Amino acid sequence: MSATLSTQCCVVGGGPAGLMAGFLLARAGVDVIVLEKHADFLRDFRGDTIHPSTLRIMDELGLLDEFLRLPHHKTYELSAWIGERQYKVADFSSLPGACNFIAFMPQWDFLDFIAEHARALPNFRLLMQTAGERLLLEGDRVCGVCAKGPEGELKIKAKLVIAADGRSSRMREDAQLPVEDFGAPMDVLWFKLPRKDSDPDESFGRIAPGRMLAMIDRGAYWQCGCVIPKGDAEKLREKGIETFRESIAGLTPFLADRVDTLKDWTDVSLLTVQVNRLKIWSRPGLLCIGDAAHAMSPVGGVGVNLAIQDAVAAANLLSAKLRDDALSDEDVRAVQRRREFPTRVTQALQLAIQNRVVRSVLSAQKPLDAPLALRLLNAIPLLRRLPARLIGLGVRPEHIETP
C-alpha cells in the first residue's frame, strides 16, 4: 500500500537549488515538501564555491553573519600559473559591499544550514532518503510525484512540482522535455591532497602543455581538479595511479612530497562534464531549475550560484500565486523568461573558454605563451574587475523579494 501526501509545492532534489527554493517558498507562506534521496548531504566533490551573489542573498535574508560562522576560506583574488609565471585574473575585493570574496565551504555545511532554517518553518517538510521516481499526471498536467522512501512507495499530490534533481534529472526525463547539448572537450578528476602552512595561501590554477590543475584552498587540504581530455579517464587508470601521481608532482612540484596519499583510484572521483540546456523549462504543473534545466561547465565554478539564482527567481515570481492558489501556467513560464538570458550568456562564455582555451591547452605539445587577454588582466588591475563581476555576481543577479 502506498501513502499519499498533499502539498502546494513538491521540490524534487535537496541540492542548493531545491533546498533554497523550498526554504524561500515556505518562508513566503507556501506549503512545501522537499525530497532528498540520500540520508544526508555528505557528498564529496560537489560545488563548494559560494560566490558574492549567493552571499548577498544570505545577507538579504539576514543570515550572513550566522552563515559565515561556519568553517570556510575566503578568496579575494583568482590567479593562474603558466609555467613558472603567475597571472592575476580576477579581483573580487573590487566588488561593492561586504560580500566581496568567494567563500570556499563544504557544500554539505551550506545545505545543512539552509535545511536547519527551513525546518524551523511549520509549512516546510524535508523528506530524506526519499527519491522522486516519476511524475504523477492528470491528462497532460503534472499533479505530483511518485516517490520511494524508507517505508515504500509514496504519492505526493502538488499544485506545482519543481525539478531540482540535477543534470541527470529523472523528472525532466519523465517529462520528455527537449534538451540542447553543447558538448565539452574535457572531464575533471577530483581528489584531495594535504595542505601545509608553507603552501601558497590562495586558490589558483596551473597550466602546462596538455595539463591543467585547479587547486582550491580548503584550509587543511587542497581540493584539486585535474582537467583531462574528454573520455581519457579510463586510459589514465590503465597507466596506473603512480603515473598519475608523477604527473601531478611534475605540474605542481610543491605537492611532490604528498601525492603518495593517493593510494589508488578510489581516492579520485570523475566528473563527466556536460553543458546542456532545456529548450523548454516547464510543462503544466512542472518547472525545472538549476542543473535540471541547464547543466553548467565547471569553468568559473558558477553552477551552484546560478542554480541558487534560479531558486530565488522562482520564489519571487511564484510564491504569492502558489500561496493564494492562483498559479497559472503562464506564471511558471515566466521563470524561464527571467532566467534564460543569464543562463545563455554564462554558458556562451563557458563554451568560449572551453573551446578556445581548454581545448588548446589539452592538445598542446610545446610550452605555452599566455594569451593577450591574460597578459592584459595581469598588467592592468582595473581590468580584473570585469571577470570578478561576471564570476562573482553573474548576469542579472537576483534579490530577495519574497516576504
Side-chain angles (χ1 to χ4, degrees):
M1 296 291 291
S2 61
T4 301
L5 299 176
S6 293
T7 187
Q8 290 175 303
C9 182
C10 178
V11 181
V12 181
L19 269 185
M20 182 62 78
F23 172 47
L24 293 178
L25 288 169
R27 180 176 171 271
V30 178
D31 189 65
V32 178
I33 293 176
V34 176
L35 309 181
E36 168 54 43
K37 65 181 179 180
H38 296 103
D40 54 45
F41 300 119
L42 294 172
R43 311 277 87 72
D44 262 343
F45 306 121
R46 301 174 82 167
D48 292 345
T49 54
I50 308 300
H51 286 198
S53 61
T54 299
L55 294 173
R56 288 184 176 188
I57 294 299
M58 304 306 288
D59 192 27
E60 291 171 4
L61 290 168
L63 299 174
L64 182 63
D65 291 342
E66 182 184 355
F67 180 67
L68 291 178
R69 287 197 286 270
L70 297 173
H72 68 281
H73 179 80
K74 294 183 178 70
T75 290
Y76 292 90
E77 287 187 330
L78 290 181
S79 61
W81 286 80
I82 299 180
E84 297 304 314
R85 182 165 181 184
Q86 182 184 29
Y87 295 85
K88 295 185 180 297
V89 176
D91 176 14
F92 300 102
S93 67
S94 65
L95 296 176
C99 303
N100 58 351
F101 56 89
I102 290 179
F104 289 101
M105 176 186 294
Q107 192 177 114
W108 55 81
D109 285 344
F110 174 78
L111 296 177
D112 279 332
F113 182 86
I114 298 299
E116 177 186 355
H117 283 273
R119 284 188 176 110
L121 301 170
N123 50 331
F124 177 91
R125 286 173 283 180
L126 174 59
L127 304 183
M128 305 296 289
Q129 293 180 275
T130 305
E133 297 279 307
R134 64 183 185 276
L135 297 169
L136 295 176
L137 300 175
E138 289 180 355
D140 289 333
R141 174 171 291 277
V142 174
C143 63
V145 175
C146 184
K148 189 173 182 180
E151 298 179 6
E153 188 176 88
L154 177 66
K155 291 182 179 178
I156 302 170
K157 298 279 190 174
K159 299 291 184 182
L160 176 67
V161 173
I162 295 180
D165 50 341
R167 60 186 58 207
S168 301
S169 171
R170 298 187 68 169
M171 298 299 101
R172 86 173 186 186
E173 181 181 354
D174 197 27
Q176 299 181 335
L177 296 172
V179 182
E180 189 173 6
D181 198 325
F182 303 103
M186 81 281 198
D187 292 322
V188 181
L189 296 174
W190 285 108
F191 54 94
K192 297 177 183 178
L193 290 175
R195 186 183 178 281
K196 296 183 177 181
D197 291 340
S198 57
D199 290 350
D201 59 356
E202 62 176 10
S203 301
F204 58 92
R206 280 196 174 269
I207 300 172
R211 295 178 293 174
M212 301 180 72
L213 183 70
M215 299 184 60
I216 300 172
D217 182 355
R218 294 291 297 275
Y221 64 90
W222 291 103
Q223 180 171 311
C224 303
C226 181
V227 181
I228 63 173
K230 170 67 74 175
D232 270 14
E234 191 56 41
K235 296 178 185 177
L236 291 173
R237 293 191 187 100
E238 290 173 357
K239 293 179 181 179
I241 193 67
E242 179 60 35
T243 301
F244 182 67
R245 290 197 295 249
E246 290 172 358
S247 71
I248 298 302
L251 182 58
T252 313
F254 75 82
L255 296 176
D257 62 351
R258 66 201 87 163
V259 292
D260 57 0
T261 60
L262 299 174
K263 300 300 183 185
D264 53 47
W265 286 108
T266 61
D267 294 325
V268 182
S269 297
L270 172 66
L271 169 65
T272 301
V273 176
Q274 302 176 35
V275 185
N276 60 49
R277 184 173 64 244
L278 288 179
K279 296 179 180 179
I280 303 171
W281 295 20
S282 64
R283 58 177 285 182
L286 173 72
L287 170 68
C288 296
I289 63 172
D291 276 2
H294 45 74
M296 308 299 293
S297 166
V299 171
V302 299
V304 169
N305 302 276
L306 201 71
I308 290 170
Q309 298 287 303
D310 286 357
V312 174
N316 287 344
L317 291 166
L318 306 180
S319 59
K321 297 290 184 70
L322 263 172
R323 184 188 60 228
D324 299 338
D325 200 22
L327 186 71
S328 70
D329 296 339
E330 184 62 24
D331 295 326
V332 177
R333 287 193 288 268
V335 178
Q336 179 177 357
R337 290 197 298 272
R338 173 72 187 176
R339 295 302 307 159
E340 188 169 28
F341 174 72
T343 300
R344 284 178 174 270
V345 172
T346 305
Q347 286 185 325
L349 292 171
Q350 289 184 324
L351 291 169
I353 293 171
Q354 281 188 175
N355 295 328
R356 297 178 186 177
V357 179
V358 176
R359 193 186 298 275
S360 297
V361 169
L362 293 179
S363 62
Q365 302 293 324
K366 58 183 181 180
L368 298 165
D369 293 324
L372 176 61
L374 197 58
R375 298 199 303 271
L376 288 173
L377 287 170
N378 188 65
I380 307 174
L382 189 64
L383 292 180
R384 297 175 212 152
R385 296 184 178 187
L386 178 58
R389 186 168 187 86
L390 287 172
I391 295 171
L393 298 180
V395 179
R396 191 187 283 166
E398 304 291 342
H399 298 277
I400 300 294
E401 298 173 7
T402 49

